[in-house]
Amino acid sequence: MSQDQPGYTPPPVPQGYQPPAPQGYQAPAPQGYQAPPAFGQQPQEGFQQPYGQPFQPPQGYPQQFQAPTTPPKSFLVTWLLALLVGVLGVDRFYLGKIGTGIAKLLTFGGLGVWALVDLILVLANKQTDKYRRPLEGYDRHKLVALIVSAVVILASIAFNVSQGIATTAALTAPVTAPSVEPVTKSTPTPAPADDVETNSRGNLVMAFGDIGTISDGKSGDVHTKFTVNSITPVTCTEPYARPSENGNVVAVDITVETTPELAQSAYPKFTLSGFDFKYIAANGTTFNGSLASIATYSCIPDAEQFPSAGMGPGEKVTGKVVLDVPAATGLLVFESGLKGGFEYKF
């Protein structure tokens, strides 16, 4: 039936229904609404997302780069630190590379390899700070840095080579051990001859070549015989020799022979060192200092010295005891541990 016909009633419209808008029609935006900016465009001032929230750029939205405010690091300072204390990682701490600086410190510069690599990087202008910026002042100081680094490295190599040669020579040099000879059981040696003088100090006055004896305090058996061959000035020849503390260094050349009876004595071992001697000046004044200074321990080769380990029963040894004395002449007293001693003029 046509709508124009008399008596036609249109069907009822459902509640809430809105007829479609004509083609090209745009509905008005709600009051206060602003459309979001197109992708790649900056939001206009005052733009807010729906519901009044401030605008947040989507993930991946380009942010503004903040340049570091600290100045670039100095090439000169970095080079000096890498050259002098590179094994401690100080150069990397200076550049702001704290993590690798700690690792370099704990490994002592990678046992020197890491430190050398970092030094080469600095000299080649390949080292950067923590912001990957080149070092400042490379062109002004590179020539001096290259020359000084080359001199230091070559000097270090030459020193190590010389030390290696010296060590090799010391290891390959023939070593003459102290003469140690076994002795057979002998009868007790009598006391010193009657012509040996005892002076007012209670010492036996001995000449070079005289035989002195030491007996056991209980049994009276002679267990050690010795002869002082000479007392002469000595020039220290060892690499680590120290200068004299008292003024003069002399060597007491002595031959000692122990008998089998030493095994039954209270002290079954004979030892001899600078602590067993004292010095008396020509006017009778006794020197109060020690004759066994540091200079006496590193003066002559070990093979020439009297064995520090001492002697057992039935042995014979010829060696030198080095003494640090206050004068080139005077009196030396070998104190045997008993009352009195053996006195030598030199």
Side-chain angles (χ1 to χ4, degrees), residues 21 26 43 64 100 103 133 152 195-197 201 247 254 292-293 298 314 327:
Q26 294 185 355
Q64 185 177 2
T100 54
R133 295 178 299 178
V152 171
D195 57 351
V196 177
E197 177 188 356
R201 288 181 286 271
I254 188 170
S293 67
S298 57

Side-chain angles (χ1 to χ4, degrees), residues 60-107:
Y61 193 86
Q63 301 290 324
Q64 185 177 2
F65 173 74
Q66 296 292 335
T69 58
T70 57
K73 297 298 183 179
S74 169
F75 163 78
L76 182 61
V77 175
T78 306
W79 164 66
L80 288 175
L81 294 177
L83 179 67
L84 301 178
V85 287
V87 293
L88 302 179
V90 180
D91 53 328
R92 286 192 167 260
F93 286 116
Y94 170 72
L95 294 174
K97 303 176 179 181
I98 306 301
T100 54
I102 295 175
K104 193 175 180 182
L105 171 63
L106 296 178
T107 60

